[in-house]
């Protein structure tokens, strides 16, 4: 399984916005410079987080993004779903019933495919793990200097 880089970008931007606080919105261009990312593509990821209610956006020259909810109420799964969508990672198309399997008796297919069952179990475990971790949990394990450096950068940088 491979997630898009937008998940990493979204998580890091959420972490940054949580550290900065919500007094002033942070423009997408500033986040793009901070992480050396393409601004237009980053903005798409940030807009997905707005649609999911994770971030809020303020339009205009002094606009930008800020957290819409406290970090304790944002799970890693929330961000993954906002960026990647809610669809299952594995999609069983029942190929066992095609080709040579097409002529097999129906009773062979009464039970779910063992592969689909195993993949679903694995995906549920992955989703549970991400849903159990919040942005606040990640903030608590980050090096203190990272939070301080981020705050200082956004306090002393001209908008």
């Amino acid at each position: 399984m491979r997630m898009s880089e937008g998940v990493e970008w979204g998580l890091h931007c959420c972490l940054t916005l949580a550290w900065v606080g919500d007094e002033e919105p942070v423009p997408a261009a500033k986040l793009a410079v901070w992480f050396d990312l393409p601004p237009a593509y980053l903005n798409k990821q940030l807009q997905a987080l707005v649609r999911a209610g994770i971030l809020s956006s303020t339009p205009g020259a002094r606009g930008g993004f800020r957290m819409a909810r406290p970090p304790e109420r944002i799970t890693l799964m929330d961000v993954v779903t906002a960026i990647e969508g809610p669809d299952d990672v594995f999609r069983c198309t029942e190929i066992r019933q095609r080709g040579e399997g097409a002529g097999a008796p129906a009773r062979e297919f009464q039970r779910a495919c063992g592969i689909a069952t195993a993949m679903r179990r694995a995906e549920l475990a992955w989703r549970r793990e991400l849903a159990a971790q919040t942005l606040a949990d990640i903030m608590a394990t980050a090096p203190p200097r990272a939070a301080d450096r981020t705050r200082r950068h956004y306090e002393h940088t001209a908008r």
Side-chain angles (χ1 to χ4, degrees):
M1 177 180 90
R2 179 179 289 242
M3 285 184 268
S4 72
E5 57 193 0
V7 171
E8 178 186 10
W9 297 4
L11 285 165
H12 279 284
C13 286
C14 285
L15 188 63
T16 298
L17 294 170
W19 279 331
V20 169
D22 61 355
E23 289 184 26
E24 293 288 326
V26 176
K30 281 185 102 172
L31 291 165
V33 167
W34 180 247
F35 291 112
D36 191 24
L37 299 173
Y41 187 60
L42 176 60
N43 193 58
K44 284 184 177 184
Q45 309 313 310
L46 297 174
Q47 289 299 330
L49 295 170
V50 169
R51 286 189 298 277
I54 294 168
L55 300 181
S56 64
S57 66
T58 305
R62 298 198 42 89
F65 297 88
R66 60 179 76 158
M67 300 304 295
R69 315 193 294 251
E72 314 63 60
R73 293 190 40 229
I74 300 169
T75 69
L76 300 185
M77 193 69 232
D78 292 335
V79 175
V80 169
T81 301
I83 302 291
E84 296 291 319
D87 295 340
D88 290 342
V89 174
F90 180 81
R91 190 172 62 89
C92 179
T93 60
E94 278 293 342
I95 66 167
R96 65 187 180 150
Q97 294 185 44
R98 299 190 331 227
E100 290 296 318
R107 69 179 174 275
E108 286 187 25
F109 308 114
Q110 289 176 336
R111 296 181 64 201
C113 171
I115 292 169
T117 301
M119 297 300 272
R120 182 70 183 144
R121 264 195 322 266
E123 183 168 343
L124 287 173
W126 171 77
R127 287 179 181 271
R128 273 192 300 272
E129 183 65 24
L130 291 177
Q133 294 183 60
T134 67
L135 193 56
D137 296 331
I138 301 300
M139 293 171 76
T141 63
R145 292 187 61 194
D148 293 340
R149 182 177 56 249
T150 301
R151 285 187 199 102
R152 276 193 311 275
H153 173 79
Y154 285 96
E155 286 173 1
H156 299 354
T157 308
R159 293 186 54 102

